[in-house]
Amino acid sequence: MDEITKDDLLGVVPTKGKGSVSAFMRVRMQRRIFDRFGAEGVSIYGAIDGKKSVEEVRAELNMSPDRIVEVLDFMDKEGVIQLKTIFEIEAEKNV
């Protein structure tokens, strides 16, 4: 088995399910992300599903680690996502 790294254990969770956020709010946030990071940032936003790790999203989009961290940090500060360990995500599912 390969060594487990911190990157493998970090998940990205939308603060609200995409279905519970109005279309207007999603478009508004996409616009803010686009204005700051371009299409690359919007691609990251679209790839977040609450199931993939940061590394899985990064690999799927073929993005540098520094760039994805920069965009995710912005989204986290804006309250769009929460960065959690996979263990935290699993614990919440079992509550």
Side-chain angles (χ1 to χ4, degrees):
M1 185 171 153
D2 293 328
E3 182 178 319
I4 297 174
T5 67
K6 179 183 169 200
D7 289 336
D8 296 326
L9 299 178
L10 191 60
V12 185
V13 180
T15 53
K16 296 180 180 178
K18 286 187 179 179
S20 66
V21 177
S22 73
F24 175 76
M25 292 304 290
R26 280 195 307 272
V27 169
R28 189 174 182 192
M29 181 47 63
Q30 286 175 347
R31 183 63 198 188
R32 291 188 71 200
I33 293 167
F34 182 83
D35 287 347
R36 181 130 182 198
F37 302 104
E40 205 174 42
V42 176
S43 295
I44 294 170
Y45 180 72
I48 296 170
D49 63 4
K51 297 175 184 167
K52 297 176 195 154
S53 71
V54 171
E55 179 56 25
E56 289 170 321
V57 172
R58 188 203 65 74
E60 179 182 304
L61 299 175
N62 194 28
M63 198 164 287
S64 77
D66 291 340
R67 183 64 168 170
I68 197 161
V69 166
E70 178 185 8
V71 176
L72 292 176
D73 185 51
F74 171 79
M75 288 187 214
D76 189 33
K77 288 177 181 171
E78 292 292 313
V80 177
I81 62 166
Q82 294 177 344
L83 296 172
K84 297 185 175 190
T85 67
I86 298 300
F87 300 117
E88 289 172 316
I89 294 168
E90 289 301 317
E92 289 174 2
K93 287 180 186 176
N94 295 324
V95 172

